[in-house]
Amino acid sequence: MVFSEGSMDVGDEAMAAVGLSHIAYIRPVAKGENGYAVCSADGKQLAVFPNYDAAFFTARQYNLAPVNVH
């Protein structure tokens, strides 16, 4: 599919939903706490794990594509 300039008007809400059911962001929890949070594409925290590997592999187990947030 090829898009030319101006061929599609995508609203903010539509862009926010991109990857919502496929992407999981993995990030460290708040400063001073240990662990890694798995968050949905819209930023909702789904779970917290004691280490990165547990967060990553659990996300994969639920068919999510984990990406890191720095």
Side-chain angles (χ1 to χ4, degrees), residues 15-70:
M15 287 304 294
V18 170
L20 195 55
S21 63
H22 303 327
I23 296 174
Y25 293 99
I26 299 176
R27 62 176 181 80
V29 293
K31 290 182 180 180
E33 297 181 32
N34 293 326
Y36 287 85
V38 176
C39 302
S40 63
D42 66 356
K44 180 193 275 187
Q45 184 173 298
L46 302 174
V48 175
F49 296 91
N51 59 59
Y52 177 85
D53 289 339
F56 181 90
F57 288 111
T58 301
R60 293 294 300 154
Q61 187 174 14
Y62 284 91
N63 296 319
L64 297 171
V67 295
N68 296 327
V69 175
H70 301 258

Side-chain angles (χ1 to χ4, degrees), residues 1 3-4 6-18:
M1 182 180 290
F3 294 104
S4 62
S7 67
M8 183 179 233
D9 183 22
V10 178
D12 291 340
E13 289 180 23
M15 287 304 294
V18 170

